[in-house]
Amino acid sequence: MTIDATAPHASFFARHEKLTLVLVNALLLLLLLGAGEIAARVSTHYEIGYYTEAKVGRDGYLRYPWGVVPVNAQGYLDENFDLTTTKPRVGWFGDSVAMGVGAGYPYRISDIVRERMSGLSTWNFARLGAGFESEKAEAIAQQYKLSTIVYLLNLNDILPDAAPQSGGGYVVYHGLTLVKSYLDYLRDRSYLYNYIRTAAKNAIQRLGFEASGYFAFELWPGKSDEVFRSFAERVNATARSLQAKGVQMCVVIAPYEMQVSEDAARTYASLGFKWEDGFLDGSAQKKLRSFLDKDLPVYDGLAAFPDHSAPVGGLFVYNAGDKIDWNHPNRAGHAALAKGFLQSNSCPFPQTK
């Protein structure tokens, strides 16, 4: 039998039709993703890494688009603590607002209070995304011999005891948790992913949920009595426990931007965000205070912003990163909050001996 060397051979594509189809589709997908990445990069006018967690530099600072935050020898986001001081020690607790997202060091309310009240040792124990963890706060108070704990309470801290177990809240909460766990590596690396993520998050917020996945209870206090009551009771229990150990607790309630700026309220409403009637006048703060112990010192930060003429973004972060942000005061906002807090004398700081 002879083989005709001149006979045409079947091409690779003819011999591997299924593999060829996969490769062609993969190539088309890569091209589409590349085009989408370029389009998203061109159309995005904010800093996609504005809120993502930074790593400590060799100089001991976290560096963000909005400023710097020191990491001290004790591992907290502040100056080094002088553990030999004989001054009364005041610890500030909270999440990203207390940490200073949007303001940075030394422009946070705790930094300003430290500067104005030199007779106290003022230390910041806030952590990004941590909220207020009662057991940890009590342990820190004992470890660092604090005289006073100041809890800078963000309105979105007002949450139920447990994550939602059913219904739409369950789907949103656990869906966002999965996305954050497996895909958020791309948040500050891919403009396309960031664009899709931000659009989805904004849509969820327009439906009445927080970016965390919880329902936005603070925007609808009239529908959220039990959540406000249970949250307040947890704060009360912590304050009572601390008091029994000789530590005074004080609460500072930070407002939302739409509550302190008419322009911001109009802007967010025009973007499709909603809240209950009365929220702009402080209905969430009033409900929370009604459930807090009467002898617990509380400063309502709304009082620090009597003039509502500031433009959107004048006192709070606006359109700088990948979220609709009405809860992070910028440097001007922290300065106003600190001024109002200090003038109110609402927190009974101990006197220097």
Side-chain angles (χ1 to χ4, degrees):
M1 178 179 179
T2 60
I3 299 176
D4 184 359
T6 63
H9 292 285
S11 67
F12 172 85
F13 299 118
R15 287 182 285 119
H16 304 280
E17 291 184 2
K18 292 183 179 180
L19 178 59
T20 299
L21 183 61
V22 170
L23 291 174
V24 169
N25 284 333
L27 178 61
L28 289 175
L29 178 61
L30 287 174
L31 290 173
L32 286 173
L33 289 174
E37 186 69 31
I38 293 171
R41 186 175 292 268
V42 170
S43 61
T44 297
H45 302 295
Y46 57 78
E47 172 58 59
I48 66 172
Y50 193 87
Y51 296 103
T52 53
E53 194 164 359
K55 294 183 179 180
V56 184
R58 293 182 179 179
D59 59 356
Y61 284 85
L62 299 172
R63 298 193 175 277
Y64 292 95
W66 38 264
V68 301
V69 177
V71 180
N72 64 21
Q74 292 79 25
Y76 293 103
L77 306 181
D78 203 355
E79 301 175 358
N80 284 324
F81 302 155
D82 178 7
L83 301 180
T84 66
T85 183
T86 58
K87 297 177 183 178
R89 302 176 180 186
V90 177
W92 284 73
F93 290 77
D95 56 14
S96 56
V97 175
M99 171 192 165
V101 169
Y105 169 88
Y107 305 100
R108 305 170 297 181
I109 181 173
S110 60
D111 301 323
I112 298 170
V113 170
R114 174 193 290 125
E115 181 183 353
R116 304 283 175 81
M117 302 190 74
S118 58
L120 300 174
S121 289
T122 301
W123 300 341
N124 193 319
F125 294 94
R127 294 193 301 133
L128 184 65
F132 184 71
E133 300 168 299
S134 300
E135 292 184 1
K136 186 163 290 186
E138 291 188 48
I140 290 173
Q142 295 302 302
Q143 179 183 356
Y144 288 92
K145 298 179 174 60
L146 301 180
S147 301
T148 308
I149 276 183
V150 182
Y151 172 23
L152 182 54
L153 189 158
N154 192 6
L155 289 177
N156 64 17
D157 290 348
I158 303 171
L159 296 171
D161 298 332
Q165 300 300 312
S166 61
Y170 176 89
V171 174
V172 171
Y173 178 84
H174 290 283
L176 288 177
T177 299
L178 285 173
V179 169
K180 292 174 183 177
S181 298
Y182 295 102
L183 295 176
D184 260 13
Y185 170 81
L186 298 170
R187 181 177 177 181
D188 60 348
R189 292 172 172 81
S190 168
Y191 280 78
L192 178 60
Y193 170 75
N194 187 279
Y195 176 84
I196 296 171
R197 181 188 189 279
T198 303
K201 185 169 61 176
N202 290 346
I204 288 170
Q205 284 190 267
R206 289 186 178 94
L207 293 174
F209 293 89
E210 283 287 356
S212 63
Y214 284 96
F215 181 73
F217 301 102
E218 75 279 13
L219 298 180
W220 305 92
K223 301 178 181 179
S224 310
D225 269 15
E226 187 51 43
V227 172
F228 273 72
R229 183 182 291 106
S230 64
F231 173 77
E233 185 50 43
R234 296 198 299 276
V235 175
N236 291 335
T238 302
R240 295 170 197 155
S241 178
L242 286 167
Q243 188 70 49
K245 297 170 184 174
V247 182
Q248 175 67 60
M249 183 171 169
C250 178
V251 177
V252 177
I253 307 175
Y256 278 177
E257 185 180 20
M258 66 279 267
Q259 295 181 308
V260 305
S261 162
E262 293 178 358
D263 183 43
R266 288 191 296 268
T267 299
Y268 294 129
S270 71
L271 291 172
F273 298 98
K274 299 179 178 65
W275 44 81
E276 74 171 23
D277 292 340
F279 175 75
L280 299 182
D281 297 320
S283 61
Q285 288 91 331
K286 292 171 186 174
K287 182 173 286 293
L288 178 61
R289 295 192 70 173
S290 73
F291 292 126
L292 292 173
D293 287 345
K294 302 310 176 187
D295 61 348
L296 175 61
V298 177
Y299 176 66
D300 184 351
L302 269 177
F305 303 91
D307 179 6
H308 291 191
S309 64
V312 62
L315 296 166
F316 283 67
V317 174
Y318 173 71
N319 206 26
D322 59 344
K323 66 174 289 187
I324 299 296
D325 191 351
W326 47 58
N327 66 306
H328 286 107
N330 58 22
R331 294 177 181 182
H334 271 268
L337 195 58
K339 180 180 179 181
F341 171 70
L342 290 168
Q343 289 179 344
S344 72
N345 292 315
S346 55
C347 191
F349 291 127
Q351 299 298 313
T352 305
K353 296 180 181 178

